[in-house]
Amino acid sequence: MLDFFTIFSKGGIVLWCFQGAGVTESFTGPVNALIRSVILQERSGNNSYTHEALSLKYKLDNEFELIFVVGFQKILTLTYVDKFIDDIQLHFRDRYKNDLEQKGALKLIQNNFDFDDDFKMLLREAEESSKARSHATMRTFKESEKSQKTVKSMIETKGGEKVKEPGGKKNKNTKKEGKSSSSGPKVVENGNQGLTPEEIIQKKREEFILKRTMVHSKSPKPQKPKEKQMRVWDMGGSSTKEYAIVTKNLACLALRFTMNHCLALFVDFSSKKAGGFGGMFGMLKGLVGSKSLTREDMESVLEKMREHLIAKNVAADISSQLCDSVAKKLEGKVMGTFTTVASTVKQALQDSLVQILQPKRRVDILRDVMEAQSQRRPFVITFCGVNGVGKSTNLAKISFWLIENGFTVLIAACDTFRAGAVEQLRTHQRRLNSLHPPQQHGGRPVVQLYEKGYGKDAAGIAMEAIAYARNQAFDVVLVDTAGRMQDNAPLMTALAKLIAVNMPDLVLFVGEALVGNEAVDQLVKFNQALADHSMSDKPRLIDGIVLTKFDTIDDKVGAAISMTYITGQPIVFVGTGQTYNDLRSLNARAVVSALMKA
């Protein structure tokens, strides 16, 4: 049933592995994909991952820095896998605890982890328990609770008296009992229901004593206070000796209590000596470290961190997933010396955020353009996004950046819907050429605009522009597209067609830094539309993000986290102003520092 099971360290050393019968393909591909896409990207909030036809479940052991991964066909429904992987982790830890405590990769390589017999035994037990649960027979109707219900049991009652009778008539005896009960105290019948015979006898005895006390209290006899009892607490007269005796007795009583208390502390200390220190020593031990973190320890801190991330404009779902990922990363980990839970969780969250913002692949546009030059073809970049986020403006900024690096640019005006879109690009072309006059470049304009007016097919215009750039030896083609909302199906289909037909080298999504939860919806639906309308098995999705209006958000930089987390793609550029120079690369640590600032 299982394709493979592997145990490896976070350093990449495989300690033990199992491959199912009849499985010929290596499991290194799925495991490497899991490491790249989930573990290195700090997305371990969910313990499952799908790779092609395989479904992978994994568990992190943070105390010994181990990862347990099991893989099986995703068409199968194996209900025992979660418990099975937990059992394997506990069994493996208990058996090889001494070997795992030895630090260093060389020690792990030298150790021999013979775990085959234990694994097969646990797997057999898990499969048998799953079969036993799956073959449970259904209850008959007579065995169900519904069969025990009668009309009498379903009649509504109030205060123990029936409101309605089955026939709909009022009960006269009930009315009379109600009148008589209002005039005198109620006598509750069956008051001893549910009590044991001993409890009933005790209750009767207490009632008898109470009655005798009430009888005798009616005629109390006057009693004179004893002078000796009164003089015991008097400081004068002949009672000095008696007072000294009482004081001595009180002192002895206090001394006895103190000795008993110290003895109890000593016993408590002795009983905990094998497992740890009690009292003050336990408090000091918890302060200086060697405490394994649990989910309960981190719960309150994680909740505060989640609310802080949401306040900084991170999408609510992303905040929850990040906190879950940090909890899994820290659960079972031993805290350092003189560190608190809050500082440990905060540091882990900071590291996770930096890891998310640092892309798994680097987008180096200048290097890619030079590689396209060597192939004698233009490098094509397509810009997409919703309305009004600044696609045309940031396209002009990137044009200026490419010109400054010595490349020629052709702008394809494929926004044939919005009025003034072509004129806006023509204005940018004129201004860029004035900043870099053709006389300085051999009489050839460094920027040209390719446009066919309005109402035309955008995919056809992009194809013609790419062919024109190839013939005229342009280095880069920047394709401007119409803004569209992610819910507009016809326009999303047109965008998917443009990308599928022309196959650009880079697809950039232009988004605002002002959005919060909306960023998640936009990116998910843009990627979904590109995948649904693609004509290839491996569709082109969004390759990078341009984050605009970054200068208007102060420290609410959460949109950068949301967009990167959803797509797994890097933020290529950040727009920080209105001029052509206001284009920056993202500094991940600066963004995280602003995000974590109180």
Side-chain angles (χ1 to χ4, degrees):
M1 299 288 281
L2 300 182
D3 283 29
F4 68 88
F5 196 110
T6 180
I7 305 171
F8 57 93
S9 69
K10 290 186 178 180
I13 301 172
V14 179
L15 307 183
W16 179 85
C17 63
F18 160 82
Q19 199 153 5
V23 179
T24 57
E25 296 182 0
S26 174
F27 58 83
T28 55
V31 173
N32 286 334
L34 171 70
I35 294 171
R36 285 194 304 268
S37 302
V38 178
I39 297 173
L40 293 180
Q41 292 296 313
E42 302 292 343
R43 301 169 189 270
S44 54
N46 187 9
N47 67 338
S48 60
Y49 175 71
T50 301
H51 178 76
E52 296 178 354
L54 287 178
S55 180
L56 276 66
K57 294 269 189 179
Y58 63 92
K59 186 172 182 63
L60 305 180
D61 189 318
N62 297 305
E63 184 177 354
F64 296 114
E65 301 290 325
L66 300 179
I67 302 174
F68 298 77
V69 182
V70 59
F72 53 92
Q73 296 295 320
K74 65 180 180 181
I75 59 173
L76 301 176
T77 304
L78 303 181
T79 57
Y80 63 85
V81 170
D82 290 327
K83 184 179 182 304
F84 174 64
I85 198 170
D86 290 340
D87 294 341
I88 291 290
Q89 180 209 11
L90 295 175
H91 202 84
F92 190 83
R93 280 168 48 100
D94 293 343
R95 178 168 179 180
Y96 299 107
K97 184 176 182 178
N98 295 330
D99 297 330
L100 295 172
E101 286 176 346
Q102 298 176 2
K103 302 296 182 182
L106 186 60
K107 297 286 186 182
L108 291 177
I109 294 173
Q110 291 174 348
N111 287 330
N112 182 23
F113 298 96
D114 187 10
F115 197 62
D116 292 351
D117 295 337
D118 297 337
F119 176 81
K120 291 177 182 177
M121 177 192 70
L122 292 172
L123 178 60
R124 184 168 58 253
E125 291 177 357
E127 289 178 345
E128 288 174 357
S129 64
S130 176
K131 290 178 181 177
R133 286 196 303 269
S134 62
H135 288 87
T137 57
M138 293 180 63
R139 292 181 300 172
T140 62
F141 178 74
K142 291 183 179 180
E143 296 173 344
S144 65
E145 295 180 1
K146 192 173 181 180
S147 64
Q148 307 300 324
K149 290 184 178 180
T150 61
V151 176
K152 186 176 181 180
S153 66
M154 290 186 287
I155 296 174
E156 296 182 358
T157 60
K158 185 177 180 181
E161 300 177 357
K162 294 183 180 180
V163 177
K164 290 183 179 180
E165 290 293 324
K169 296 181 180 179
K170 294 182 179 179
N171 193 347
K172 296 179 180 179
N173 296 329
T174 304
K175 188 174 181 181
K176 290 179 181 178
E177 290 174 3
K179 288 182 179 180
S180 62
S181 63
S182 61
S183 60
K186 287 186 178 180
V187 179
V188 181
E189 295 294 331
N190 298 328
N192 298 326
Q193 187 175 0
L195 299 178
T196 61
E198 292 80 6
E199 291 174 341
I200 294 173
I201 294 171
Q202 180 65 24
K203 185 177 178 182
K204 295 294 184 181
R205 184 182 294 115
E206 291 174 356
E207 290 176 355
F208 177 73
I209 295 172
L210 180 61
K211 288 179 181 178
R212 291 196 62 182
T213 305
M214 292 176 64
V215 169
H216 288 291
S217 64
K218 292 180 181 179
S219 58
K221 295 180 180 180
Q223 294 181 357
K224 292 183 179 181
K226 294 182 180 179
E227 295 181 0
K228 191 174 182 179
Q229 290 179 348
M230 296 298 294
R231 286 202 303 267
V232 166
W233 302 104
D234 192 3
M235 290 293 294
S238 62
S239 63
T240 307
K241 185 178 179 181
E242 296 174 2
Y243 175 77
I245 294 173
V246 170
T247 306
K248 184 178 178 181
N249 291 337
L250 287 174
C252 293
L253 181 64
L255 181 62
R256 188 187 305 169
F257 173 78
T258 305
M259 293 180 64
N260 288 338
H261 187 63
C262 293
L263 181 62
L265 287 177
F266 178 75
V267 171
D268 181 61
F269 171 77
S270 301
S271 63
K272 294 182 179 179
K273 190 172 181 181
F277 296 98
M280 184 182 295
F281 296 99
M283 181 182 69
L284 288 174
K285 183 183 177 186
L287 183 63
V288 298
S290 68
K291 172 181 170 57
S292 296
L293 284 173
T294 62
R295 187 64 181 256
E296 290 75 17
D297 297 334
M298 300 180 284
E299 199 65 43
S300 60
V301 181
L302 288 172
E303 183 61 28
K304 291 179 182 177
M305 290 293 179
R306 178 180 174 277
E307 293 174 358
H308 177 78
L309 291 175
I310 294 174
K312 293 287 185 174
N313 223 14
V314 180
D317 292 342
I318 306 300
S319 301
S320 300
Q321 292 175 32
L322 281 171
C323 291
D324 290 342
S325 177
V326 169
K328 284 202 171 184
K329 182 179 177 181
L330 292 178
E331 194 171 1
K333 194 170 185 178
V334 178
M335 291 174 57
T337 306
F338 289 102
T339 56
T340 61
V341 176
S343 61
T344 304
V345 172
K346 185 176 180 180
Q347 186 59 46
L349 183 60
Q350 277 184 317
D351 296 341
S352 298
L353 293 172
V354 171
Q355 188 66 39
I356 288 168
L357 288 175
Q358 289 176 344
K360 55 186 177 182
R361 69 177 188 89
R362 189 181 175 205
V363 177
D364 192 339
I365 295 178
L366 299 180
R367 183 196 62 191
D368 294 340
V369 171
M370 287 188 286
E371 185 179 349
Q373 277 181 329
S374 64
Q375 300 173 4
R376 298 182 179 275
R377 65 175 185 85
F379 185 80
V380 182
I381 304 176
T382 298
F383 296 80
C384 62
V386 301
N387 309 77
V389 294
K391 289 185 298 300
S392 302
T393 303
N394 284 274
L395 181 146
K397 291 180 183 180
I398 294 174
S399 299
F400 178 77
W401 175 71
L402 289 168
I403 294 167
E404 289 286 318
N405 285 279
F407 299 113
T408 56
V409 178
L410 178 68
I411 300 175
C414 295
D415 184 356
T416 62
F417 181 75
R418 178 172 65 89
V422 176
E423 288 75 13
Q424 182 183 5
L425 292 176
R426 187 175 289 115
T427 302
H428 283 304
Q429 177 214 0
R430 188 165 56 248
R431 291 189 62 188
L432 289 170
N433 280 325
S434 65
L435 294 173
H436 291 271
Q439 295 80 9
Q440 298 178 3
H441 300 275
R444 179 185 178 185
V446 291
V447 182
Q448 287 191 29
L449 177 66
Y450 190 90
E451 55 93 6
K452 292 292 184 180
Y454 296 98
K456 304 293 192 304
D457 180 38
I461 295 174
M463 183 180 292
E464 294 175 10
I466 294 170
Y468 178 80
R470 186 182 292 109
N471 295 332
Q472 299 297 321
F474 279 94
D475 299 322
V476 184
V477 178
L478 302 181
V479 180
D480 184 34
T481 62
R484 63 205 75 209
M485 295 303 294
Q486 65 271 20
D487 298 321
N488 193 325
L491 290 179
M492 293 303 296
T493 304
L495 176 65
K497 175 188 172 185
L498 184 149
I499 293 174
V501 168
N502 295 287
M503 292 302 293
D505 298 285
L506 192 64
V507 179
L508 295 180
F509 176 85
V510 184
E512 282 183 333
L514 302 169
V515 295
N517 291 323
E518 188 68 12
V520 177
D521 190 49
Q522 289 174 6
L523 282 164
V524 167
K525 290 188 177 178
F526 264 81
N527 264 335
Q528 190 63 46
L530 296 179
D532 291 343
H533 300 95
S534 177
M535 293 178 287
S536 63
D537 296 333
K538 295 183 178 181
R540 285 297 307 279
L541 304 179
I542 292 170
D543 300 314
I545 299 166
V546 178
L547 205 55
T548 66
K549 306 176 185 178
F550 209 71
D551 55 320
T552 65
I553 58 172
D554 193 24
D555 60 350
K556 290 183 170 54
V557 293
I561 299 292
S562 300
M563 291 183 176
T564 311
Y565 192 90
I566 286 296
T567 60
Q569 302 301 337
I571 296 176
V572 183
F573 293 111
V574 173
T576 59
Q578 300 295 321
T579 66
Y580 291 136
N581 289 315
D582 295 328
L583 195 69
R584 301 285 184 272
S585 297
L586 185 72
N587 187 337
R589 296 198 176 273
V591 170
V592 172
S593 177
L595 191 67
M596 299 302 293
K597 186 171 64 175

